[in-house]
Amino acid sequence: MRAVGAAQLNRRLEVWRPVTSDDGSGGQNTSLALQGIVRAKVDQPSNADRTLAAQSGSEHSHTVFLAPGADVRRGDELRGTDRLGVAQALRVLAVLEPSTPVYRKAPCLLIQREGV
């Protein structure tokens, strides 16, 4: 993929990031907080991407392409709907940029909620 144009970023995804807070008893609670919304393109990973993930002991169910300045980090959760309007959540495994920053690429894992 050369550059990601606005027309290719055809989905809007909410960015949820883990945050910790004191629980009042000397421990901490971790929850997800909405950080913002990014435009994205969500694809199935190539066979090469799947093979590379499997070799490193990781799962990789989706590849998300983002604009170069998108504030998305490893560990974030991207939430939106798929092409059929079904709610979808993706956990960001990593965020990569090519040597010329024309897009950001985030290998992700689909989070399947129980009862869905």
Side-chain angles (χ1 to χ4, degrees):
M1 184 172 212
R2 292 188 149 200
V4 176
Q8 291 174 305
L9 300 177
N10 57 5
R11 291 183 51 190
R12 293 185 187 277
L13 300 175
E14 296 176 341
V15 179
W16 291 80
R17 185 162 296 144
V19 293
T20 57
S21 60
D22 292 333
D23 67 2
S25 300
Q28 292 185 326
N29 292 321
T30 300
S31 60
L32 294 175
L34 179 63
Q35 300 298 305
I37 297 175
V38 294
R39 291 180 52 121
K41 178 178 188 276
V42 179
D43 283 342
Q44 297 292 318
S46 68
N47 286 336
D49 286 341
R50 285 181 191 255
T51 300
L52 184 60
Q55 288 173 342
S56 64
S58 178
E59 295 183 52
H60 175 185
S61 63
H62 291 74
T63 299
V64 177
F65 292 93
L66 306 150
D71 183 16
V72 173
R73 304 174 189 172
R74 181 178 186 267
D76 285 352
E77 189 172 297
L78 303 176
R79 297 179 187 173
T81 56
D82 65 13
R83 286 179 266 177
L84 301 174
V86 176
Q88 189 176 56
L90 301 160
R91 180 169 296 113
V92 178
L93 303 173
V95 179
L96 313 165
E97 289 185 9
S99 56
T100 303
V102 292
Y103 64 87
R104 299 182 89 196
K105 179 179 174 180
C108 296
L109 180 63
L110 178 65
I111 302 168
Q112 294 186 334
R113 308 270 188 222
E114 287 189 38
V116 177

